[in-house]
Amino acid sequence: AVGVASQAFGSISRVKLFSTPNAKSDAMLERNQIPVVLEGLGGGNFKIVVPRDTAVVSGDRVLSAELNGALVAIVEEINLDSTDSFKEVLAKSPANIFELRYLLIIP
């Protein structure tokens, strides 16, 4: 899943990508079933902020809470400052949005 159709015009549709900068989507870290907010950073990249003691590692899957658990991102990097109560999780879309030629639109 890369986004949702936001407009339709005859034979053309416009899709708002989940990774659009500042776009927020409800999601879930699959490892521990924790609900999170996936914030778009652009270019198929995302940021998630979780409490510092949340178990998350590179390669973990992030599933959509809105699209029946569809895979929307994979954890790439975890940033944690020793003084922060939260850690920043950076994730990337499993699909390279710059190389997509076709999209399947599910009603």
Side-chain angles (χ1 to χ4, degrees), residues 18-20 39-47 76 91-93 97:
F18 294 129
S19 64
T20 298
E39 181 180 343
L41 298 176
N45 299 298
F46 303 93
K47 176 174 81 170
E76 294 279 319
K92 189 167 189 76
S93 174
I97 62 167

Side-chain angles (χ1 to χ4, degrees), residues 80-98:
L80 175 63
D81 189 321
S82 62
T83 60
D84 286 344
S85 299
F86 295 90
K87 58 184 163 187
E88 180 182 78
V89 177
L90 301 177
K92 189 167 189 76
S93 174
N96 182 341
I97 62 167
F98 299 108

Side-chain angles (χ1 to χ4, degrees), residues 95-104:
N96 182 341
I97 62 167
F98 299 108
E99 293 182 359
L100 292 177
R101 290 191 57 197
Y102 301 101
L103 288 175
L104 173 63

Side-chain angles (χ1 to χ4, degrees), residues 6-48:
S6 60
Q7 294 178 311
F9 314 92
S11 63
I12 298 172
S13 294
R14 181 172 289 159
V15 174
K16 181 176 180 185
L17 299 175
F18 294 129
S19 64
T20 298
N22 301 314
K24 295 189 178 172
S25 305
D26 292 327
M28 179 180 61
L29 287 171
E30 184 180 47
R31 169 182 296 274
N32 40 27
Q33 306 292 304
I34 293 178
V36 294
V37 174
L38 197 61
E39 181 180 343
L41 298 176
N45 299 298
F46 303 93
K47 176 174 81 170
I48 304 166

